[in-house]
């Protein structure tokens, strides 16, 4: 897991800006009723790890964990916001590995700027990920090797339309700033997010990516249970030391609601990537989801084929 300074100064400023936007819009909402929920958690735990550095003939150590958490949710007439933070401080009692502190943060603000028509979505997400994207989402408690921290800041203004009684269209723009952490000292396990090339600092610039997207998603209710899906996404990715490219992602799909709160959804399409050097590639991507409501639980199954660059 990450430690040291996993949240850069710039990331912290963005996080404060998100919370500030919530406060300002809460005030501007005037006398509108708002629901607020605050939940703080605190956990203690311990374990014995027989190979803390995951090396051949490695040494073991007792590891103590302190896990603070904070969850905040705000809902008003035209403002929705949430903050979900979790931390994990790991203390190695015999010093066989450096102590570390990992963070996960999911903060989001959704503003309804024009009633039922124009929205602004602002998000900040910090989480540990594998350095090999093909391994998928990181599993909690899995190996700490070959990991880094991913910090994604997103701003997306978009419109929502109803071209017909059974048809809805969502279209807009999305800007994403994605940063990955590097070890402060080789072998220390302590990582920090580096400043980006946009800040004018020449450092580990290859760990910063900026994406600009134009997107449109159309849904048409063919019947009470079947909804047809289609859409198109055009993305431009820029990075200082990686190949810049355009990516086109059209898709078609269907959603079938076979029972109350139970549905199957499938989407698929070709993904065309064009680099500035003139290289092109076409690959098929898809996603399939099943959600089945039980008495008190919901069973969810999913399968996905997609292509994501390694950090």
């Amino acid at each position: 897991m990450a430690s040291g300074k996993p949240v850069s100064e710039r990331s912290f400023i963005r996080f404060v800006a998100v919370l500030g936007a919530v406060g300002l819009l809460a005030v501007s909402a005037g006398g509108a009723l708002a629901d607020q929920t605050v939940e703080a958690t605190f956990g203690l735990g311990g374990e014995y790890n027989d190979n803390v550095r995951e090396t051949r003939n490695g040494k073991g150590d007792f590891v103590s964990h302190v896990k603070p958490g904070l969850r905040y949710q705000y809902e008003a007439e035209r403002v929705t916001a949430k903050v979900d933070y979790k931390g994990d401080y790991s203390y190695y009692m015999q010093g066989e590995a450096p102590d570390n502190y990992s963070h996960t943060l999911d903060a989001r603000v959704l503003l309804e700027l024009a009633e039922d028509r124009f929205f602004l979505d602002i998000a900040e997400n910090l989480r540990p990920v594998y350095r090999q994207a093909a391994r998928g989402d990181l599993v909690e408690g899995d190996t700490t090797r070959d990991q880094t921290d991913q910090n994604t800041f997103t701003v997306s203004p978009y419109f929502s339309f109803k071209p017909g009684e059974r048809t809805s269209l969502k279209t807009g723009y999305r800007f994403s700033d994605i940063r990955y952490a590097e070890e402060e000292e080789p072998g220390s396990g302590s990582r920090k997010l580096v400043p980006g090339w946009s800040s004018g600092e020449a450092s580990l610039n290859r760990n910063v990516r900026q994406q600009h997207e134009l997107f449109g998603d159309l849904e048409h209710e063919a019947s009470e249970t079947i909804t047809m899906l289609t859409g198109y996404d055009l993305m431009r990715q820029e990075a200082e030391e990686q190949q810049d490219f355009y990516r086109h992602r059209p898709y078609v799909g269907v959603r079938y609601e076979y029972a109350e709160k139970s549905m199957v959804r499938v989407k698929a399409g070709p993904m065309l990537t064009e680099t500035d050097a003139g290289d092109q590639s076409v690959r098929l991507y898809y996603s399939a989801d099943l959600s089945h409501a039980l008495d008190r639980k919901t069973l969810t199954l999913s399968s996905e084929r997609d292509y994501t660059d390694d950090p």
Side-chain angles (χ1 to χ4, degrees):
M1 290 293 182
S3 63
K5 302 176 182 176
V7 183
S8 68
E9 180 180 353
R10 185 171 179 178
S11 302
F12 177 76
I13 293 174
R14 288 200 302 246
F15 176 50
V16 171
V18 172
L19 294 181
V22 178
L24 290 174
L25 286 155
V27 173
S28 65
L33 296 177
D35 294 328
Q36 298 187 65
T37 303
V38 180
E39 178 182 339
T41 61
F42 184 79
L44 295 173
E47 62 178 332
Y48 178 75
N49 188 326
D50 62 0
N51 190 346
V52 294
R53 292 186 179 271
E54 300 182 40
T55 58
R56 186 174 182 178
N57 300 321
K59 297 182 180 180
D61 203 341
F62 290 93
V63 188
S64 299
H65 294 274
V66 178
K67 298 184 177 182
L70 177 65
R71 179 177 298 173
Y72 173 75
Q73 188 163 338
Y74 177 93
E75 293 186 10
E77 184 178 358
R78 299 173 69 170
V79 181
T80 301
K82 72 170 186 177
V83 177
D84 191 356
Y85 168 80
K86 296 178 182 177
D88 184 0
Y89 174 72
S90 301
Y91 171 69
Y92 293 81
M93 299 180 64
Q94 298 176 1
E96 296 296 340
D99 300 339
N100 61 63
Y101 196 87
S102 67
H103 307 265
T104 61
L105 172 67
D106 184 13
R108 182 177 296 273
V109 180
L110 179 62
L111 314 176
E112 188 177 350
L113 301 179
E115 187 173 1
D116 297 330
R117 184 59 56 88
F118 183 38
F119 300 84
L120 179 62
D121 192 357
I122 307 172
E124 179 87 13
N125 182 275
L126 173 68
R127 64 191 180 108
V129 296
Y130 292 119
R131 290 186 179 275
Q132 292 78 35
R135 297 176 65 180
D137 293 335
L138 188 141
V139 178
E140 185 176 358
D142 195 8
T143 173
T144 58
R145 298 184 64 183
D146 298 325
Q147 289 184 20
T148 185
D149 292 322
Q150 181 190 69
N151 185 205
T152 305
F153 174 69
T154 305
V155 177
S156 177
Y158 65 89
F159 293 90
S160 180
F161 301 101
K162 293 285 291 184
E165 184 178 352
R166 294 192 168 191
T167 304
S168 61
L169 171 65
K170 176 182 175 181
T171 182
Y173 164 79
R174 183 184 299 112
F175 168 78
S176 300
D177 181 277
I178 306 172
R179 298 167 188 269
Y180 295 95
E182 282 291 338
E183 284 191 326
E184 296 183 278
E185 296 180 10
S188 69
S190 178
R191 302 196 296 269
K192 67 177 180 180
L193 295 166
V194 298
W197 52 269
S198 58
S199 69
E201 298 188 30
S203 55
L204 297 173
N205 301 331
R206 64 182 302 275
N207 295 333
V208 180
R209 301 170 185 164
Q210 291 187 341
Q211 299 174 346
H212 304 268
E213 295 178 68
L214 295 175
F215 63 88
D217 299 292
L218 183 70
E219 296 188 3
H220 176 72
E221 296 180 12
S223 67
E224 293 184 356
T225 59
I226 298 177
T227 301
M228 307 305 296
L229 313 172
T230 187
Y232 177 79
D233 182 290
L234 170 62
M235 181 185 75
R236 167 68 175 178
Q237 176 170 295
E238 299 176 345
E240 180 75 359
E241 296 184 9
Q242 294 179 328
Q243 187 66 254
D244 298 341
F245 61 81
Y246 288 95
R247 179 165 288 167
H248 307 261
R249 293 170 62 102
Y251 72 86
V252 293
V254 61
R255 182 174 66 242
Y256 173 53
E257 299 180 13
Y258 59 88
E260 185 178 1
K261 297 182 179 180
S262 299
M263 66 91 183
V264 177
R265 178 177 57 197
V266 178
K267 296 196 301 184
M271 181 178 70
L272 170 63
T273 302
E274 300 175 305
T275 69
D276 287 4
D279 299 325
Q280 293 187 356
S281 65
V282 179
R283 297 174 177 176
L284 175 68
Y285 72 97
Y286 73 83
S287 64
D289 305 273
L290 168 66
S291 180
H292 182 76
L294 304 174
D295 291 340
R296 296 184 178 181
K297 302 290 185 178
T298 299
L299 173 65
T300 301
L301 300 175
S302 64
S303 176
E304 182 178 16
R305 180 183 185 183
D306 207 341
Y307 301 90
T308 304
D309 298 327
D310 291 333

